Amino acid sequence: MSARRIVLFGPPGAGKGTQAERLVARLGVPQISTGDMLRAAVAAGSELGRRAQAVMDRGELVSDDVVIGVAEERLMQEDARRGFVLDGFPRTLAQAEALDGILDRLATPIEICLVLAIGAEDLVARLLKRAGIEGRSDDNEETIRKRLRVYREQTEPLVAYYRARSLLREVDGAGSMDEVEKRIGEALS
Ligand code: ADP
């Protein structure tokens, strides 16, 4: 039986969003993407969205308190009882610890943490290509480099955090989306 409570992370542009979509389609669990939820809040013009937008456009991280609140509310919903793929959360050690606390209370701990590994130049090229297609306001070269730096400084320490709990599976994120999907399937089996 495959794991159903999964954290998926990796640098911006590693293909996290695409792989999360494919994984949830296969497992029949919700995709919980804090990036998508924050963008929805921006689009809706809510108080949360107004506070988050400037930070996101600078390529920085929205504060732990805010993001943890958003993720917790989502994890408490009924459909997440079946499992979930967390996409883009946690992104800091404080978020990872808060997540463990939330899931302990629900008695549904993380079963596997998948990290997509990929070289920096590939990432910038992919992100600039996506910028042309999707027109995301945080996909310009300066912001992309900033997001990669933020990833290295604040998110990469999670590799050690999950490795220490024996939950980490590293997956090579190079190549086509189909190739990466196949490697993820192997990592989960
Ligand atoms: P990507 O992985 O391509 O950078 P996301 O959609 O995951 O994109 O996130 C976009 C932006 O939303 C981030 O740069 C950050 O500003 C904000 N964000 C998303 N998730 C988090 C999080 N867990 N903690 C803090 N900020 C977040």
Side-chain angles (χ1 to χ4, degrees), residues 12 16 34 39 60 62 67 88 91 95 130 136 147:
K16 229 173 356 105
T34 42
R39 277 186 291 279
E60 292 167 9
V62 174
V67 177
R91 245 180 168 89
Q95 292 178 19
R130 179 172 84 185
R136 256 175 62 168
R147 279 155 57 213

Side-chain angles (χ1 to χ4, degrees), residues 15 30 36 56 84 95 98 102 144 170 186:
D36 284 350
M56 293 171 75
F84 45 78
Q95 292 178 19
I102 295 164
I144 288 168
E170 277 175 286
E186 287 160 4

Side-chain angles (χ1 to χ4, degrees), residues 61-74:
L61 295 184
V62 174
S63 76
D64 285 336
D65 283 359
V66 167
V67 177
I68 290 165
V70 166
E72 177 164 22
E73 201 176 305
R74 183 65 188 85

Side-chain angles (χ1 to χ4, degrees), residues 138-168:
D138 60 352
D139 272 347
N140 58 72
E141 183 151 4
E142 190 192 335
T143 312
I144 288 168
R145 295 212 180 268
K146 176 72 172 287
R147 279 155 57 213
L148 289 171
R149 195 161 66 241
V150 167
Y151 176 80
R152 274 198 305 277
E153 290 169 359
Q154 304 200 52
T155 308
E156 223 159 50
L158 298 184
V159 168
Y161 180 89
Y162 285 109
R163 186 179 284 135
R165 285 160 182 69
S166 304
L167 296 176
L168 193 77

Side-chain angles (χ1 to χ4, degrees), residues 44-181:
S46 67
E47 169 67 24
L48 165 67
R50 277 198 295 276
R51 280 194 287 160
Q53 179 159 36
V55 180
M56 293 171 75
D57 283 347
R58 284 199 301 273
E60 292 167 9
L61 295 184
V62 174
S63 76
D64 285 336
D65 283 359
V66 167
V67 177
I68 290 165
V70 166
E72 177 164 22
E73 201 176 305
R74 183 65 188 85
L75 283 163
M76 303 289 287
Q77 287 170 26
E78 187 58 35
D79 62 343
R81 307 307 302 158
R82 292 198 305 273
F84 45 78
V85 174
L86 281 168
D87 160 17
F89 179 89
R91 245 180 168 89
T92 64
L93 277 175
Q95 292 178 19
E97 286 164 2
L99 174 64
D100 280 347
I102 295 164
L103 296 179
D104 275 353
R105 287 196 294 281
L106 295 167
T108 52
I110 293 297
E111 293 170 293
I112 272 192
C113 174
L114 295 167
V115 57
L116 292 178
I118 185 159
E121 285 316 307
D122 278 356
L123 289 177
V124 176
R126 280 195 196 177
L127 286 164
L128 287 171
K129 188 169 159 213
R130 179 172 84 185
I133 298 167
E134 292 179 12
R136 256 175 62 168
S137 60
D138 60 352
D139 272 347
N140 58 72
E141 183 151 4
E142 190 192 335
T143 312
I144 288 168
R145 295 212 180 268
K146 176 72 172 287
R147 279 155 57 213
L148 289 171
R149 195 161 66 241
V150 167
Y151 176 80
R152 274 198 305 277
E153 290 169 359
Q154 304 200 52
T155 308
E156 223 159 50
L158 298 184
V159 168
Y161 180 89
Y162 285 109
R163 186 179 284 135
R165 285 160 182 69
S166 304
L167 296 176
L168 193 77
R169 302 274 194 288
E170 277 175 286
V171 175
D172 180 3
S176 71
M177 290 300 170
D178 287 347
E179 285 164 341
V180 179
E181 183 182 6

